[in-house]
Amino acid sequence: MLDLDELIERIQKKELIAEVVIATLCSLAKETLVQESNTVQLSTPITVVGDIHGQFDDLLEIFKIGGPCPYTNYLFLGDYVDRGFYSVETILLLICLKLRYPQRMTLLRGNHESRGVTQTYGFYAECVRKYGNANVWRHLTELFDYLTLSAVIDGRLFCVHGGLSPSIQHVDQILVMNRFREFPHEGPMADLMWSDPDPSIQEFALSPRGAGYSFGERIVDKFLHSNKLDHILRAHQLCSEGYQVLFDDKLSTIWSAPNYCYRCANLASILQIETDQSRFFNVFDAAPNQPTLGEILKYQQSMASSQSIAEYFL
Amino acid sequence: MFVTETDNDALNFRISATKAGYIEDPYVLHFQNRNSLPRPPLINRGTFVRTWSIDALCEEFILRVPGMKQIISLGAGTDTRVFRFLAKYGPSKFVYHEFDFLVNCVKKLRVISRHKDMSDLLGGPDGFKIDARQGTLRSASYNLTSMDINDLAKQPLLEHIRPDLPTILLSECCLCYLSVGGVDAIYQWATSTFPSLMTIIYEPIRSSDPFGAMMVRNLSARGITMPTLSHYDTPDDQKKRMREYGFSFCNALDFYEIEKQWFSQELVKRLNHIEMLDELEEWALLASHYCLVYAISKKCEESIKQNKDLSDHNTKLFPF
């Protein structure tokens, strides 16, 4: 039997966890996650966290700022892996916390929790570099298939990684989807992971990202009204101030990876929601022990991955 | 890192962009080494914008300025533009001169002499002469010389450089490593030596904003400093600089603007088809910190205007 507390301590020290342990963790986590609906019902008080992208030191900082789990309830909006150096540690810690405190930790799926995307943006390469083969990547990407797609807080705040879909007018339509697979390039599941709000339009438009849609205020209004909701919480887009509120406070973007890729010099935030549903964006800067530039150089020199850490055109 | 090593990054980026299908360049693959790993879509995209926009300017110059032209490329490193252009235009439209540090020149000479597709473009094994110790190559179309760029303005003109020819002075992220005074001296030299002159500069900008400040920190951790970076913060600052050097027409835009203003719909579609850019906000941030500046002397501007019988010129680049 796994000692989760001991494992959590070791992960926090960035110790390499054995593949066989990871396989067991994934197996156990699947049993828990499979029971979750595609739209999980949550209650305040809760702290909502946006993209982490392997910036493990910043994740540890988030637990310092927001309070440790289980004393604080957490909802993570996805994009745990890719881009940063410590995607493995990031996802393992969150899975352990989910197993240890299943009612206090909710993990949504982001567009980076995908076999295809992780092969381009660094998670695959990090797994191969740390373990010598792709088995860990395979275990974890299989687990990603089980992550839920959305959440509703107090029956009023709709939470998803990306945004809305022209195929989904009611939350009920999300409930009946089959989420237990690699998500396709198109369709409602992809849209929920990839779409972005666009203040310059009113309806849906094709997304400049090449997946999902851009959606405007009228779409947000219709969705909130039809589903008796007050607000949409999502992540997915880099915010230089850590968060962005749009459409007359009907939609918020939360971004939780400060100094993204150790290059963007952006702030990050976590959203703390109290029982009266008041929302507070707790903004923070990069962790004092984000990888030093020396570590970045060493990492780049090993050049075993195609992550673009602090890369510039010269 | 020494400034000579900055070429390694540029090379790896170019190899990645070529292999991914953004750029057609059989020659850059001859420089491959074990560090040539695929780069992320963001980097490939930026490398494409850089290569494409400089190519577009040079090609517009080649097409619109009558007669024989001359291209001087400073700190070219492993850049393969001369071979791509010779393959496309043949040897009768331009002569191409490159200058770089000895170590980079020697590396380039070795690759050229070992690859037939490159040496054939120079007229075959009898078409060029190499001095491996001095790091020089001499041929009818292409000359490579090892030199500290600072010395360019101080030495008498090399015999193969012709002041009478319409000339492009190209700095693809090279002059930014010199002092402000050093760059001023080079432009004083260039504007007084070549009456018909276009200059193209590609270099970072906006070091004053948070992203730019982080860029300066990250680069200096690798031993890279750019003395001119803080002096020319915006595209407008770059244009002012060119006017002060005496150029009659100038334009400057960052990579984000180049995509918006110069790229056709078909081109954008083609790029999106090769690879999806996941983080558009990050791309906007990165792309807006690189500037393309180009400026033309009065004589050059007049010779372009006189040659108005060409129907398919790109008025976005030279709006006259």
Side-chain angles (χ1 to χ4, degrees):
Chain A
M1 201 51 231
L2 282 179
D3 182 343
L4 284 169
D5 289 323
E6 190 246 351
L7 204 48
I8 286 169
E9 232 186 271
R10 284 171 54 204
I11 296 170
Q12 283 171 335
K13 292 194 220 139
K14 292 181 188 158
E15 278 181 35
L16 196 68
I17 305 301
E19 184 200 318
V20 61
V21 174
I22 296 178
T24 309
L25 277 176
C26 288
S27 177
L28 290 170
K30 280 183 202 169
E31 287 172 26
T32 302
L33 295 173
V34 75
Q35 295 170 46
E36 285 184 343
S37 137
N38 291 343
T39 305
V40 176
Q41 299 295 333
L42 300 171
S43 307
T44 51
I46 192 165
T47 296
V48 186
V49 183
D51 293 32
I52 302 290
H53 282 302
Q55 296 187 199
F56 189 65
D57 299 287
D58 296 304
L59 176 63
L60 296 179
E61 198 69 6
I62 283 170
F63 287 123
K64 283 194 201 136
I65 296 169
C69 185
Y71 302 107
T72 300
N73 298 316
Y74 280 99
L75 166 63
F76 281 76
L77 299 177
D79 276 13
Y80 313 107
V81 299
D82 282 338
R83 315 309 297 277
F85 289 156
Y86 299 107
S87 296
V88 172
E89 289 80 356
T90 299
I91 188 65
L92 288 182
L93 178 59
L94 291 173
I95 290 171
C96 285
L97 287 171
K98 176 67 182 173
L99 284 170
R100 184 69 177 83
Y101 309 110
Q103 306 306 318
R104 305 293 177 150
M105 171 68 69
T106 306
L107 303 171
L108 299 191
R109 190 172 188 177
N111 64 302
H112 277 257
E113 275 71 60
S114 141
R115 289 162 187 79
V117 178
T118 51
Q119 284 183 68
T120 305
Y121 285 96
F123 182 48
Y124 176 87
E126 182 184 323
C127 291
V128 169
R129 185 172 55 85
K130 285 178 173 163
Y131 290 92
N133 59 54
N135 294 339
V136 163
W137 174 81
R138 233 170 264 124
H139 293 313
L140 289 166
T141 47
E142 267 174 34
L143 179 64
F144 293 162
D145 290 344
Y146 285 70
L147 291 170
T148 188
L149 302 178
S150 61
V152 176
I153 301 172
D154 285 358
R156 307 298 307 186
L157 306 172
F158 179 74
C159 310
V160 72
H161 176 74
L164 300 179
S165 169
S167 317
I168 299 173
Q169 288 76 43
H170 290 277
V171 172
D172 291 350
Q173 290 169 280
I174 303 175
L175 292 174
V176 300
M177 280 164 51
N178 172 23
R179 76 169 193 263
F180 299 99
R181 55 191 176 129
E182 173 69 26
F183 55 83
H185 288 289
E186 285 173 338
M189 195 167 156
D191 297 342
L192 291 174
M193 308 289 105
W194 282 94
S195 294
D196 294 303
D198 185 348
S200 71
I201 60 175
Q202 287 293 326
E203 309 285 342
F204 280 107
L206 284 180
S207 169
R209 287 187 199 255
Y213 289 86
S214 301
F215 56 93
E217 186 161 9
R218 210 169 288 146
I219 300 297
V220 172
D221 283 339
K222 268 194 259 184
F223 186 82
L224 292 176
H225 182 78
S226 308
N227 293 282
K228 298 194 177 53
L229 298 163
D230 291 335
H231 197 89
I232 297 174
L233 293 174
R234 43 90 66 178
H236 193 45
Q237 274 178 302
L238 173 64
C239 301
S240 56
E241 303 304 313
Y243 70 96
Q244 193 184 36
V245 180
L246 291 177
F247 304 144
D248 207 18
D249 200 19
K250 279 175 257 170
L251 180 142
S252 303
T253 301
I254 307 162
W255 180 267
S256 306
N259 191 19
Y260 183 48
C261 292
Y262 314 114
R263 175 172 59 198
C264 292
N266 58 288
L267 296 172
S269 75
I270 54 177
L271 175 58
Q272 295 169 310
I273 311 178
E274 296 306 321
T275 44
D276 61 355
Q277 287 183 18
S278 60
R279 280 172 260 136
F280 171 62
F281 288 97
N282 199 333
V283 178
F284 55 97
D285 210 332
N289 54 349
Q290 256 197 359
T292 62
L293 294 162
E295 282 174 306
I296 292 172
L297 285 182
K298 249 197 348 207
Y299 185 90
Q300 280 185 324
Q301 274 157 21
S302 77
M303 280 300 237
S305 89
S306 54
Q307 282 142 275
S308 182
I309 306 290
E311 271 190 327
Y312 299 97
F313 304 112
L314 297 173
Chain B
M1 173 201 264
F2 297 109
V3 70
T4 50
E5 292 164 50
T6 60
D7 180 59
N8 287 337
D9 280 38
L11 172 63
N12 287 329
F13 289 8
R14 261 182 285 122
I15 290 173
S16 168
T18 302
K19 281 181 163 172
Y22 287 82
I23 302 171
E24 220 179 284
D25 184 356
Y27 315 105
V28 76
L29 299 175
H30 299 324
F31 291 95
Q32 271 193 100
N33 54 50
R34 64 196 140 77
N35 283 332
S36 310
L37 287 163
R39 307 321 302 150
L42 186 85
I43 295 295
N44 289 336
R45 184 81 157 226
T47 303
F48 173 81
V49 174
R50 160 194 190 159
T51 306
W52 181 92
S53 57
I54 295 175
D55 283 353
L57 281 171
C58 289
E59 293 190 80
E60 196 68 10
F61 185 87
I62 289 173
L63 289 171
R64 292 180 70 180
V65 173
M68 192 58 162
K69 271 77 61 174
Q70 177 168 249
I71 299 175
I72 299 176
S73 179
L74 304 176
T78 53
D79 184 69
T80 54
R81 185 167 283 111
V82 59
F83 297 100
R84 293 188 290 110
F85 278 13
L86 282 172
K88 185 170 181 181
Y89 295 105
S92 60
K93 289 228 157 59
F94 60 87
V95 288
Y96 205 108
H97 311 303
E98 287 180 343
F99 293 90
D100 208 327
F101 288 108
L102 179 64
V103 58
N104 286 346
C105 289
V106 167
K107 179 173 165 190
K108 195 160 193 172
L109 293 179
R110 279 207 202 110
V111 171
I112 294 172
S113 46
R114 273 199 240 128
H115 290 93
K116 193 166 182 300
D117 59 351
M118 290 169 107
S119 53
D120 275 357
L121 288 167
L122 303 180
D126 297 326
F128 62 98
K129 266 215 295 277
I130 284 182
D131 183 335
R133 263 194 330 129
Q134 303 267 28
T136 58
L137 184 153
R138 296 282 176 264
S139 74
S141 306
Y142 170 58
N143 293 288
L144 176 64
T145 309
S146 88
M147 184 186 283
D148 184 326
I149 303 297
N150 283 302
D151 292 340
L152 204 55
K154 300 178 196 158
Q155 285 183 5
L157 206 57
L158 294 177
E159 59 172 351
H160 57 268
I161 301 198
R162 293 174 49 185
D164 60 301
L165 293 181
T167 298
I168 296 178
L169 181 69
L170 168 61
S171 160
E172 202 173 338
C173 212
C174 169
L175 290 175
C176 48
Y177 299 113
L178 273 57
S179 67
V180 175
V183 178
D184 286 348
I186 294 209
Y187 274 98
Q188 252 160 30
W189 164 81
T191 50
S192 56
T193 307
F194 307 99
S196 180
L197 177 68
M198 169 158 96
T199 188
I200 303 172
I201 291 181
Y202 148 77
E203 61 190 28
I205 51 169
R206 305 195 211 275
S207 62
S208 56
D209 67 23
F211 182 95
M214 182 64 58
M215 174 169 67
V216 170
R217 267 186 58 205
N218 282 340
L219 288 177
S220 72
R222 298 173 68 190
I224 300 168
T225 49
M226 296 182 179
T228 64
L229 178 52
S230 55
H231 289 259
Y232 309 113
D233 204 48
T234 65
D236 281 342
D237 291 338
Q238 294 278 14
K239 283 198 272 196
K240 182 161 170 280
R241 171 207 225 189
M242 289 300 137
R243 278 192 285 271
E244 282 166 8
Y245 287 149
F247 290 98
S248 68
F249 168 80
C250 59
N251 195 7
L253 54 176
D254 64 42
F255 279 12
Y256 194 62
E257 285 303 308
I258 288 176
E259 269 211 348
K260 282 214 301 220
Q261 292 182 28
W262 288 3
F263 280 18
S264 65
Q265 295 260 37
E266 294 78 40
L267 180 56
V268 175
K269 247 199 199 151
R270 176 173 94 83
L271 295 177
N272 287 337
H273 197 66
I274 297 175
E275 278 178 323
M276 245 171 27
L277 260 190
D278 174 47
E279 234 93 58
L280 294 176
E281 295 74 26
E282 194 193 3
W283 166 245
L285 256 185
L286 185 63
S288 61
H289 284 77
Y290 290 90
C291 188
L292 182 74
V293 200
Y294 58 106
I296 302 176
S297 68
K298 190 103 196 96
K299 183 149 187 264
C300 184
E301 188 180 341
E302 274 158 15
S303 71
I304 291 176
K305 280 179 178 160
Q306 276 164 22
N307 205 16
K308 263 217 159 95
D309 54 346
L310 291 168
S311 54
D312 58 348
H313 52 265
N314 190 335
T315 48
K316 284 189 193 151
L317 274 53
F318 300 145
F320 41 76

